[in-house]
Amino acid sequence: MLRRDASRSYQEFNGEDGAGPLGSHQNNEVSEVERDQVSCDPSPDEDVVDNNLMPIGFNKACVKNVFTAILVLIYLLLTTVAVFLAYQTISDFMEKLNHPVMSVSYKEVEEFTAPGIALYPGKARLLSCMHRYHDDIPPLVASDRSVERNCIKEDVIYHGPYSNQTQKRAIVVRGPTDVRNRELIFLQFSRNETEEDFSAISYMIFAKFSDMLESSDKAAFMMDCERNYSMWTFSGGFRTWVKMSLVKTSGRGNESVEFRQESNVVKYIDKRPPQEQANELFFVVFQWRDPFIQQVKDIVTANPWNTIAILCGVFMALFKAADFAKLSIKWMIKIRKRHLRAKMRELNQIS
């Protein structure tokens, strides 16, 4: 009895031990798996540390990157504005250079240079040519009397500038000079018959009478004057009072002279006998309007120094913007590398 119980108790003990090698191996595997699971699962303290450190570092780097990107965009915008300003400055300079502004000024003189007055009477005959002062008109001259004159004149025959077949005869008279004493020149013509449809005498005013006297080829000189100056007319049976004004225009290396005029026309009351009225009479008076010369100049308002200063400022801003953009990009790369190193360091500490 005692032996059977002893053998059974020995078999039970032996059975528990009988699973010895296999059972101990299984127990070892279970313990290793549990150990691995325990080592892989982070502890509550490590979770708290990771959750506190990672968002703070990420937020700082993100804010810095965003701030740098905003600054780069701002400087790119400023660079665009600077380029547009440079383009606009150059465009305005070229526009002002190609389209100068006209400046008008008046110069007062004591007397004018004697102009040349070229008259084309055709078949008309010069009866009188008188210099007078203070608006004093000389008495009329009868058509059958001799010519009265105290003026300087030249007769020039030349071919027209636009047709060599047209021959012209011009009586060139020295114009008035003394504007203070209201000097005038009075001319009277008479014409017996005409084949033209309109009764008129043409005339032209050019800058200097002395230029014509000093010219070696007066015919060529008169041709050039006819090309460059305007023609006017005065009619028969009227007294035409011409008041002249001088305009000098200068710009782009050339200078021109222009005569402007105001004319008053008064009808002539013919009191001659009927048989003498067949001779048509022409009366013309030339006088300066006022003692002022109108000077018209082309002024270029574009200032090259101002343009150069603006462009220098623009280019300096562009270089500064480029330097800042380069430094900002380097800073972003440096911050990115620092953030990656910190992240790797944290991962190493966790592992």
Side-chain angles (χ1 to χ4, degrees):
M1 185 73 175
L2 291 172
R3 186 176 297 173
R4 190 181 300 118
D5 292 335
S7 64
R8 188 179 55 203
S9 61
Y10 176 76
Q11 287 177 357
E12 289 177 0
F13 178 78
N14 210 9
E16 292 174 358
D17 258 350
L22 183 60
S24 62
H25 180 69
Q26 290 178 354
N27 291 332
N28 290 333
E29 288 181 356
V30 171
S31 62
E32 288 179 0
V33 171
E34 290 177 354
R35 192 184 304 116
D36 291 339
Q37 288 179 355
V38 170
S39 64
C40 289
D41 292 336
S43 64
D45 293 336
E46 291 179 352
D47 288 340
V48 173
V49 172
D50 291 339
N51 291 331
N52 290 334
L53 290 177
M54 293 295 290
I56 293 175
F58 178 76
N59 288 336
K60 287 183 179 180
C62 183
V63 169
K64 290 180 180 179
N65 292 334
V66 170
F67 181 71
T68 305
I70 291 174
L71 286 180
V72 170
L73 291 177
I74 291 174
Y75 273 85
L76 288 176
L77 180 61
L78 293 178
T79 303
T80 305
V81 173
V83 172
F84 176 76
L85 180 61
Y87 171 76
Q88 192 68 28
T89 302
I90 296 174
S91 299
D92 292 342
F93 178 78
M94 296 303 297
E95 181 72 18
K96 292 178 180 179
L97 187 64
N98 295 326
H99 298 86
V101 178
M102 295 182 65
S103 173
V104 180
S105 61
Y106 293 90
K107 179 182 178 181
E108 187 176 2
V109 296
E110 293 296 327
E111 65 177 20
F112 287 93
T113 303
I117 303 173
L119 300 108
Y120 300 88
K123 295 182 179 181
R125 184 167 63 96
L126 179 62
L127 297 180
S128 176
C129 178
M130 302 289 293
H131 280 272
R132 310 290 283 191
Y133 296 91
H134 302 290
D135 299 339
D136 182 23
I137 300 297
L140 302 182
V141 178
S143 58
D144 56 348
R145 292 181 59 183
S146 60
V147 176
E148 297 180 3
R149 67 171 68 93
N150 67 349
C151 62
I152 302 173
K153 74 179 187 68
E154 287 281 338
D155 290 339
V156 181
I157 297 175
Y158 66 97
H159 292 281
Y162 306 107
S163 176
N164 292 329
Q165 298 178 355
T166 304
Q167 191 175 24
K168 294 186 175 183
R169 181 177 71 92
I171 300 175
V172 184
V173 180
R174 182 179 183 271
T177 59
D178 192 354
V179 65
R180 295 295 180 181
N181 293 320
R182 304 183 66 82
E183 179 186 4
L184 59 86
I185 180 171
F186 175 78
L187 297 102
Q188 179 180 346
F189 293 87
S190 174
R191 183 162 55 187
N192 188 15
E193 59 181 10
T194 178
E195 297 176 356
E196 298 177 356
D197 296 332
F198 299 95
S199 177
I201 294 177
S202 300
Y203 67 94
M204 175 183 63
I205 305 175
F206 57 90
K208 294 181 180 179
F209 180 75
S210 59
D211 290 344
M212 192 272 298
L213 292 179
E214 296 171 358
S215 176
S216 59
D217 190 352
K218 294 181 174 59
F221 178 83
M222 293 303 299
M223 289 176 64
D224 291 336
C225 287
E226 190 172 344
R227 287 191 187 98
N228 298 322
Y229 292 95
S230 301
M231 284 281 193
W232 292 283
T233 58
F234 59 93
S235 301
F238 296 91
R239 187 196 67 188
T240 304
W241 197 304
V242 179
K243 293 188 176 182
M244 303 175 295
S245 61
L246 184 61
V247 180
K248 292 184 178 180
T249 304
S250 60
R252 296 188 180 275
N254 56 0
E255 184 174 350
S256 61
V257 177
E258 178 188 359
F259 285 90
R260 296 178 182 176
Q261 65 172 1
E262 297 175 359
S263 58
N264 297 321
V265 179
V266 179
K267 181 177 176 56
Y268 169 63
I269 300 175
D270 196 350
K271 298 179 181 179
R272 295 175 297 170
Q275 62 271 17
E276 296 182 3
Q277 293 183 4
N279 294 327
E280 189 175 17
L281 298 178
F282 299 80
F283 309 96
V284 63
V285 179
F286 294 97
Q287 185 182 31
W288 289 106
R289 185 184 66 180
D290 51 44
F292 296 99
I293 298 176
Q294 182 178 349
Q295 296 177 334
V296 180
K297 296 181 180 180
D298 291 339
I299 298 178
V300 178
T301 57
N303 189 354
W305 297 110
N306 187 22
T307 304
I308 291 172
I310 293 175
L311 292 178
C312 288
V314 168
F315 287 128
M316 287 179 64
L318 289 176
F319 286 129
K320 288 293 183 181
D323 290 339
F324 180 81
K326 182 172 67 175
L327 293 175
S328 299
I329 292 173
K330 288 183 178 180
W331 186 51
M332 291 175 64
I333 294 173
K334 185 177 180 181
I335 292 299
R336 180 63 179 169
K337 289 181 178 179
R338 184 181 299 173
H339 175 67
L340 291 176
R341 285 197 300 268
K343 188 174 181 181
M344 292 296 296
R345 192 181 300 112
E346 292 174 0
L347 291 177
N348 291 332
Q349 290 177 357
I350 293 172
S351 63

